[in-house]
PDB file of all heavy atoms in Angstrom:
ATOM      1  N   SER A1065       1.550  -0.397  24.000  1.00 91.00           N
ATOM      2  CA  SER A1065       0.981  -1.571  24.649  1.00 91.00           C
ATOM      3  C   SER A1065       1.356  -2.805  23.857  1.00 91.00           C
ATOM      4  O   SER A1065       1.613  -2.733  22.660  1.00 91.00           O
ATOM      5  CB  SER A1065      -0.535  -1.460  24.744  1.00 91.00           C
ATOM      6  OG  SER A1065      -1.097  -1.693  23.486  1.00 91.00           O
ATOM      7  N   GLY A1066       1.385  -3.930  24.551  1.00 92.00           N
ATOM      8  CA  GLY A1066       1.769  -5.157  23.883  1.00 92.00           C
ATOM      9  C   GLY A1066       2.547  -6.023  24.841  1.00 92.00           C
ATOM     10  O   GLY A1066       2.894  -5.591  25.941  1.00 92.00           O
ATOM     11  N   ASN A1067       2.781  -7.237  24.404  1.00 92.00           N
ATOM     12  CA  ASN A1067       3.371  -8.203  25.307  1.00 92.00           C
ATOM     13  C   ASN A1067       4.109  -9.232  24.471  1.00 92.00           C
ATOM     14  O   ASN A1067       3.555  -9.816  23.551  1.00 92.00           O
ATOM     15  CB  ASN A1067       2.218  -8.849  26.090  1.00 92.00           C
ATOM     16  CG  ASN A1067       2.690  -9.886  27.069  1.00 92.00           C
ATOM     17  OD1 ASN A1067       3.555 -10.703  26.766  1.00 92.00           O
ATOM     18  ND2 ASN A1067       2.124  -9.852  28.251  1.00 92.00           N
ATOM     19  N   VAL A1068       5.369  -9.427  24.795  1.00 95.00           N
ATOM     20  CA  VAL A1068       6.194 -10.313  23.981  1.00 95.00           C
ATOM     21  C   VAL A1068       5.680 -11.751  24.035  1.00 95.00           C
ATOM     22  O   VAL A1068       5.642 -12.446  23.024  1.00 95.00           O
ATOM     23  CB  VAL A1068       7.662 -10.250  24.438  1.00 95.00           C
ATOM     24  CG1 VAL A1068       8.501 -11.237  23.658  1.00 95.00           C
ATOM     25  CG2 VAL A1068       8.211  -8.847  24.263  1.00 95.00           C
ATOM     26  N   LEU A1069       5.268 -12.202  25.211  1.00 94.00           N
ATOM     27  CA  LEU A1069       4.810 -13.598  25.303  1.00 94.00           C
ATOM     28  C   LEU A1069       3.547 -13.814  24.479  1.00 94.00           C
ATOM     29  O   LEU A1069       3.332 -14.875  23.911  1.00 94.00           O
ATOM     30  CB  LEU A1069       4.571 -13.984  26.756  1.00 94.00           C
ATOM     31  CG  LEU A1069       5.850 -14.111  27.589  1.00 94.00           C
ATOM     32  CD1 LEU A1069       5.532 -14.647  28.967  1.00 94.00           C
ATOM     33  CD2 LEU A1069       6.871 -15.011  26.904  1.00 94.00           C
ATOM     34  N   LYS A1070       2.717 -12.767  24.393  1.00 92.00           N
ATOM     35  CA  LYS A1070       1.522 -12.927  23.572  1.00 92.00           C
ATOM     36  C   LYS A1070       1.887 -12.961  22.095  1.00 92.00           C
ATOM     37  O   LYS A1070       1.180 -13.567  21.296  1.00 92.00           O
ATOM     38  CB  LYS A1070       0.534 -11.804  23.855  1.00 92.00           C
ATOM     39  CG  LYS A1070      -0.207 -12.023  25.151  1.00 92.00           C
ATOM     40  CD  LYS A1070      -1.449 -11.179  25.185  1.00 92.00           C
ATOM     41  CE  LYS A1070      -2.114 -11.275  26.534  1.00 92.00           C
ATOM     42  NZ  LYS A1070      -3.005 -10.131  26.748  1.00 92.00           N
ATOM     43  N   THR A1071       2.961 -12.298  21.745  1.00 94.00           N
ATOM     44  CA  THR A1071       3.435 -12.405  20.368  1.00 94.00           C
ATOM     45  C   THR A1071       3.760 -13.859  20.049  1.00 94.00           C
ATOM     46  O   THR A1071       3.487 -14.335  18.947  1.00 94.00           O
ATOM     47  CB  THR A1071       4.683 -11.531  20.155  1.00 94.00           C
ATOM     48  OG1 THR A1071       4.307 -10.168  20.319  1.00 94.00           O
ATOM     49  CG2 THR A1071       5.266 -11.730  18.780  1.00 94.00           C
ATOM     50  N   VAL A1072       4.326 -14.570  21.031  1.00 95.00           N
ATOM     51  CA  VAL A1072       4.617 -15.988  20.812  1.00 95.00           C
ATOM     52  C   VAL A1072       3.333 -16.710  20.438  1.00 95.00           C
ATOM     53  O   VAL A1072       3.306 -17.535  19.518  1.00 95.00           O
ATOM     54  CB  VAL A1072       5.243 -16.615  22.074  1.00 95.00           C
ATOM     55  CG1 VAL A1072       5.382 -18.118  21.904  1.00 95.00           C
ATOM     56  CG2 VAL A1072       6.585 -15.980  22.363  1.00 95.00           C
ATOM     57  N   ILE A1073       2.247 -16.368  21.124  1.00 92.00           N
ATOM     58  CA  ILE A1073       0.972 -17.007  20.784  1.00 92.00           C
ATOM     59  C   ILE A1073       0.564 -16.638  19.360  1.00 92.00           C
ATOM     60  O   ILE A1073       0.110 -17.479  18.588  1.00 92.00           O
ATOM     61  CB  ILE A1073      -0.110 -16.587  21.782  1.00 92.00           C
ATOM     62  CG1 ILE A1073       0.274 -17.107  23.155  1.00 92.00           C
ATOM     63  CG2 ILE A1073      -1.466 -17.151  21.365  1.00 92.00           C
ATOM     64  CD1 ILE A1073      -0.647 -16.672  24.251  1.00 92.00           C
ATOM     65  N   GLY A1074       0.763 -15.367  19.015  1.00 91.00           N
ATOM     66  CA  GLY A1074       0.464 -14.944  17.647  1.00 91.00           C
ATOM     67  C   GLY A1074       1.260 -15.756  16.635  1.00 91.00           C
ATOM     68  O   GLY A1074       0.732 -16.201  15.627  1.00 91.00           O
ATOM     69  N   VAL A1075       2.532 -15.964  16.940  1.00 94.00           N
ATOM     70  CA  VAL A1075       3.404 -16.736  16.050  1.00 94.00           C
ATOM     71  C   VAL A1075       2.869 -18.157  15.925  1.00 94.00           C
ATOM     72  O   VAL A1075       2.785 -18.721  14.836  1.00 94.00           O
ATOM     73  CB  VAL A1075       4.842 -16.747  16.590  1.00 94.00           C
ATOM     74  CG1 VAL A1075       5.699 -17.723  15.810  1.00 94.00           C
ATOM     75  CG2 VAL A1075       5.437 -15.355  16.542  1.00 94.00           C
ATOM     76  N   LEU A1076       2.506 -18.732  17.074  1.00 93.00           N
ATOM     77  CA  LEU A1076       2.034 -20.109  17.043  1.00 93.00           C
ATOM     78  C   LEU A1076       0.716 -20.215  16.280  1.00 93.00           C
ATOM     79  O   LEU A1076       0.509 -21.158  15.515  1.00 93.00           O
ATOM     80  CB  LEU A1076       1.855 -20.635  18.468  1.00 93.00           C
ATOM     81  CG  LEU A1076       3.168 -20.751  19.254  1.00 93.00           C
ATOM     82  CD1 LEU A1076       2.934 -21.372  20.617  1.00 93.00           C
ATOM     83  CD2 LEU A1076       4.192 -21.567  18.469  1.00 93.00           C
TER      84      LEU A1076
END
Side-chain angles (χ1 to χ4, degrees):
Chain A
S1065 75
N1067 180 317
V1068 176
L1069 290 186
K1070 283 198 186 160
T1071 295
V1072 173
I1073 296 175
V1075 171
L1076 294 184

